[in-house]
Amino acid sequence: MLAYEIVHLLKSKKKGAGGLAAIKLDMSKAYDRVEWSFLEKMMRKMGFHERWVQLIMKCVSTVVYKIKVNDSYTQRIFPQRGLRQGDPLSPYLFIICAEGLSAMLQKAEHEGKIEGIKICRGAPKVNHLFFADDSLILMRVRESDALELRRTPEVYEKASGQVINREKSSIMFSPNTGQHDRGLMISNLSIIDEASTEKYLGLPVTIGKSRKKPFEYIKRKIWGRIQG
């Protein structure tokens, strides 16, 4: 997977003046916060047929909830935003929304405000990887890039209803990144967790000579469930 190749490159970059960073953004209650108007505009912008847009919006907006309290149900609740958890359609609709952030990051790259990472010579630069609500941002360690990365998601948050949980987000630096540059990036991005090892899509992104230790948590998790 490309994510593992890039993070491996990042962790192996021990020389040179230019540091690299991988930022994992945590979206707070991602599906619950999706603004329906933003989803509708994104589908039209991406060229979906109007009939299809109307059908999708009907599926999204006609949901009704009731909550059971003390053996009786409340009155009907009509939500005004959000995607239903567990609905097989929801991950695809969320990806359509995330395409807005993707387009903004690509535009910033095109304008030279953010520079992504190459896995080898001649390869295209990559500045972000998305999988549903899992976001990995890849960039050079520069203060100007960090300021742009702070601005771009803020615009996306206001338009889409999404909120980045910076307390649960994390950043990983290449070993050649100096402490001063690390501090500037962390300060400008307001991300307090500097990860030495991190998971992507639930799996460790770096594996050393011993494959036993990185996957030991799987054994512990399964054993914990059996005990429970």
Side-chain angles (χ1 to χ4, degrees):
M1 187 181 288
L2 182 59
Y4 299 98
E5 292 289 338
I6 291 176
V7 176
H8 175 73
L9 170 68
L10 182 144
K11 296 213 39 106
S12 63
K13 185 174 174 57
K14 299 179 180 179
K15 297 180 180 180
L20 304 175
I23 301 103
K24 185 180 178 187
L25 297 180
D26 182 87
M27 295 292 180
S28 178
K29 298 181 179 179
Y31 282 28
D32 295 340
R33 293 181 179 273
V34 171
E35 293 287 351
W36 293 343
S37 59
F38 181 76
L39 172 61
E40 188 173 0
K41 289 175 182 177
M42 280 300 303
M43 286 193 288
R44 289 199 176 100
K45 185 71 175 177
M46 293 175 70
F48 285 91
H49 192 279
E50 185 62 26
R51 174 61 177 162
W52 174 259
V53 174
Q54 293 302 322
L55 284 172
I56 293 297
M57 294 312 300
K58 189 174 182 180
C59 292
V60 170
S61 61
T62 55
V63 62
V64 178
Y65 296 108
K66 283 187 177 182
I67 301 173
K68 190 174 184 180
V69 181
N70 297 330
D71 296 325
S72 62
Y73 287 95
T74 63
Q75 293 183 341
R76 290 188 298 173
I77 299 172
F78 298 90
Q80 301 299 309
R81 66 177 183 179
L83 302 174
R84 282 174 282 186
Q85 295 282 354
D87 189 315
L89 191 62
S90 293
Y92 299 100
L93 299 181
F94 187 86
I95 289 171
I96 291 174
C97 291
E99 185 63 26
L101 177 57
S102 176
M104 294 177 70
L105 290 170
Q106 288 175 2
K107 184 174 182 289
E109 172 95 37
H110 179 72
E111 294 174 350
K113 297 177 180 178
I114 292 178
E115 186 175 324
I117 295 175
K118 288 184 178 182
I119 59 172
C120 63
R121 289 182 180 180
K125 292 178 181 178
V126 179
N127 70 13
H128 67 278
L129 295 170
F130 292 164
F131 183 83
D133 58 342
D134 203 330
S135 306
L136 190 65
I137 312 297
L138 307 152
M139 59 191 295
R140 58 188 175 181
V141 177
R142 288 203 328 188
E143 186 174 12
S144 58
D145 289 46
L147 291 172
E148 179 63 23
L149 182 59
R150 185 181 183 92
R151 185 197 69 82
T152 299
E154 284 178 351
V155 175
Y156 173 69
E157 285 175 312
K158 291 177 181 177
S160 67
Q162 294 295 294
V163 174
I164 296 173
N165 187 339
R166 298 185 185 278
E167 291 183 357
K168 290 187 177 181
S169 297
S170 58
I171 184 168
M172 182 188 299
F173 295 105
S174 58
N176 69 321
T177 308
Q179 288 300 322
H180 177 71
D181 291 335
R182 292 178 187 231
L184 283 176
M185 290 288 288
I186 290 171
S187 176
N188 287 317
L189 294 174
S190 298
I191 296 175
I192 59 175
D193 184 15
E194 184 179 341
S196 56
T197 56
E198 187 56 89
K199 293 186 179 66
Y200 182 71
L201 303 183
L203 295 173
V205 293
T206 55
I207 301 173
K209 293 181 179 179
S210 174
R211 290 181 173 84
K212 183 178 180 180
K213 189 174 180 180
F215 294 100
E216 184 69 26
Y217 76 98
I218 298 177
K219 181 180 177 180
R220 290 197 303 269
K221 198 173 264 189
I222 294 174
W223 181 246
R225 288 184 178 273
I226 293 172
Q227 293 297 307

